[in-house]
Amino acid sequence: AGLLALTAGRAVTDSAPRAGWVVAVCALLAAVYAAGVRAPAVGQSALAAGVWLAGTGAVWAALLVLSPDGLWIAFPLYFLELHLLRLRWGLAAVAVTACAAIGGFLGHSGAVTPGAFLGPLLGGAVAVATVLGYQALYRESERRRELIEELIATRAELAAAERGAGILAERERLAREIHDTLAQGLSSIQLLLRAAERALSEDPAAGSPTPAAAALAHIGRAREENLAEARRFVRALTPPDLEHGSLAAALERLCSGAPGPRVRFSVSGTPRELPTPYEVALLRIAQSALANVVRHARADRAEITLTFMDTSVTLDVVDDGRGFDPASAPSGEGGFGLPAMRARAESLGGLFTVESAPGQGSAVAVTLPLPLEA
């Protein structure tokens, strides 16, 4: 724009013979250039860019015929051609533009001097060197950006792999501990129970089955269920309660077999299939909360409600027991209890809340957001 204004201004101030034509062609060249800059197709299509450059060059050639000052427009044209065309075609366009500039200068001056050739050629060489250097810097910057993105992705993958390895190592450690302690202890209890049952059955004074024998049988069944749980935990399998039925059915069985207070189970909303980690977490939280009710609440009634909503699933365990202060509640034997339930819920992105007060019962609620594929 500055060079066009300079060319038109010199033609007017110097009273050139064709000053009006020079101003008109400068305005036309500015209009053609502005139209190409605003046209989206020029930046998206090589054909459109070539057509625009050809039109711009034709108008510039007319200006070059009318005024020797049009020679200076060649320098920005170099950059324009190298920017829009492939390198091979850009170099050819720069060469043609330089030749046209040399021809225009010779035509107006009539004298052949070294400057007539060196000026346009040096200008073209500077433009080519500048563009090639910029392109090399751009490619290097892109390579560095891609390398940084790759390093960030690799670091994230390594961190995820390390977390996964840590989780697996901890699971293996827990599995070994459970196998070597809890499972073995339950097996020993089973052997002792069987020996006691045989002794009672062989006792001639016992007659029909005694309450002690029935209690031993009940203890044996409970031991078998817990041993199965321990072994399945060691092998990282689905809990037996969920293996042959839904979560609602497992919670129904949990409520019907719970000792102590009367426990009612209900489902709200439209049941839907949940991912296995969700079902396991909800079942374990219900088991732990109900165990707390049986052991500590001294409640007469309790209720477990499973609620399905559009984007979440909620489990509520409510009792009418003696209540407690959640802020000062103990964590339970072995460090489990409420913190373990909260950890299960938060590991799946859920929300765990406890509402209770002395003498007012208690309510435990966990809400898990449903994944998109659920």
Side-chain angles (χ1 to χ4, degrees), residues 263-277:
V263 184
R264 188 170 71 92
F265 172 71
S266 61
V267 177
S268 178
T270 303
R272 59 190 298 183
E273 184 177 354
L274 299 175
T276 300

Side-chain angles (χ1 to χ4, degrees), residues 178-225:
I178 291 173
H179 178 270
D180 294 340
T181 57
L182 180 61
Q184 298 298 334
L186 290 173
S187 297
S188 300
I189 292 172
Q190 178 66 11
L191 294 176
L192 295 173
L193 287 173
R194 288 177 180 174
E197 289 174 352
R198 284 196 301 268
L200 285 174
S201 62
E202 293 172 359
D203 185 1
S208 60
T210 63
L216 287 176
H218 181 72
I219 294 172
R221 287 191 298 271
R223 190 233 45 103
E224 290 177 357
E225 293 173 359

Side-chain angles (χ1 to χ4, degrees), residues 132-196:
L132 292 180
Y134 171 79
Q135 291 178 349
L137 289 175
Y138 178 77
R139 288 193 298 269
E140 180 64 25
S141 175
E142 284 296 298
R143 282 196 296 267
R144 179 168 297 187
R145 181 184 62 80
E146 293 173 357
L147 179 60
I148 291 174
E149 290 180 354
E150 184 179 351
L151 288 175
I152 292 175
T154 303
R155 184 172 62 181
E157 292 175 358
L158 287 175
E162 289 178 358
R163 286 194 298 270
I167 291 172
L168 289 177
E170 182 63 13
R171 285 179 178 174
E172 291 178 359
R173 185 189 69 81
L174 290 174
R176 289 193 299 268
E177 292 294 331
I178 291 173
H179 178 270
D180 294 340
T181 57
L182 180 61
Q184 298 298 334
L186 290 173
S187 297
S188 300
I189 292 172
Q190 178 66 11
L191 294 176
L192 295 173
L193 287 173
R194 288 177 180 174

